[in-house]
Amino acid sequence: MTDDENRVAGLVLAAGGGRRLGGRPKALLPHRGRLLVEHAAEVLRAGGCAGVHVVLGARAEEVRARAALPGCALVDNPDWEQGMGTSLRAGLDALAGTDARAALVLLVDQPGIGPEAVTRVRRAYRSPRSLVSAAYGGVRGHPVLFGAAHWAGIAATATGDRGARAYLKEHAGAVELVECGDVAEAYDIDTEADLAHLE
């Protein structure tokens, strides 16, 4: 691993309130004997990320009390109810104060994405200008890697639940797609029916 690769930080977006799950924050859902937020942080760590930041929002105090997140930097997003875009901004703001050269972003509600996909996306990092996305059958998905040169532009356009979608669309020609469909499943835990994916 090069010195620059050592500076790809992991960023878990875990602030959502689980509105369609009866107000159960996704970070606190159980999966394989632990909480989803613990699972996501471990996936980033196992995938080789240098340092993991976790953005909290809904019931943040309860998540802090219940989740075992050793070595993770916990970032509070007081504006979490306005959507994922605010969490992405909060996370990138927190990383701006570190020596990270890129942020590898994973959503807390996608437990079908494991360390293999994270490793593939991380290894595609070349410079702070890198934009890399996992792809599933050629369709862009998560996780996504944002080189530090893009953070300000992403933060300026991240609104509501759209996150970085508008920025990535605008810079589509610069996004390197890394196929991960053979090692990961990009389903979301959004509704009661989706809870069947949890183990």
Side-chain angles (χ1 to χ4, degrees):
M1 196 184 291
T2 67
D3 183 50
D4 260 6
E5 272 188 300
N6 273 326
R7 295 188 185 162
V8 175
L11 181 58
V12 180
L13 302 187
R19 195 171 54 247
R20 286 181 284 171
L21 289 166
R24 280 180 289 172
K26 296 175 183 180
L28 293 169
L29 294 174
H31 180 58
R32 296 182 182 172
R34 55 186 168 179
L35 302 178
L36 266 190
V37 68
E38 295 169 340
H39 176 80
E42 182 52 36
V43 164
L44 288 174
R45 194 174 282 121
C49 289
V52 175
H53 281 58
V54 181
V55 181
L56 303 178
R59 290 178 27 202
E61 284 184 25
E62 184 179 347
V63 177
R64 284 175 181 273
R66 289 181 53 195
L69 296 166
C72 292
L74 304 184
V75 180
D76 284 311
N77 173 17
D79 301 319
W80 64 269
E81 288 182 88
Q82 295 172 30
M84 185 176 61
T86 62
S87 290
L88 182 56
R89 284 203 307 271
L92 294 178
D93 282 351
L95 285 173
T98 72
D99 65 354
R101 302 282 177 86
L104 201 156
V105 180
L106 184 65
L107 306 182
V108 75
D109 67 347
Q110 293 192 321
I113 296 172
E116 300 88 351
V118 169
T119 298
R120 285 187 188 178
V121 172
R122 180 181 55 75
R123 285 184 174 157
Y125 171 83
R126 298 290 174 262
S127 79
R129 298 212 60 75
S130 291
L131 278 177
V132 186
S133 175
Y136 300 86
V139 178
R140 184 170 57 73
H142 283 89
V144 184
L145 181 146
F146 304 122
H150 299 281
W151 294 354
I154 291 167
T157 59
T159 55
D161 272 325
R162 300 182 69 81
R165 197 176 306 160
Y167 189 89
L168 289 170
K169 192 173 180 183
E170 193 180 317
H171 296 82
V175 179
E176 179 180 350
L177 295 181
V178 177
E179 184 57 46
C180 292
D182 58 322
V183 294
E185 294 180 82
Y187 55 80
D188 297 334
I189 307 297
D190 279 337
T191 65
E192 293 283 344
D194 297 332
L195 294 174
H197 287 295
L198 299 179
E199 297 169 17

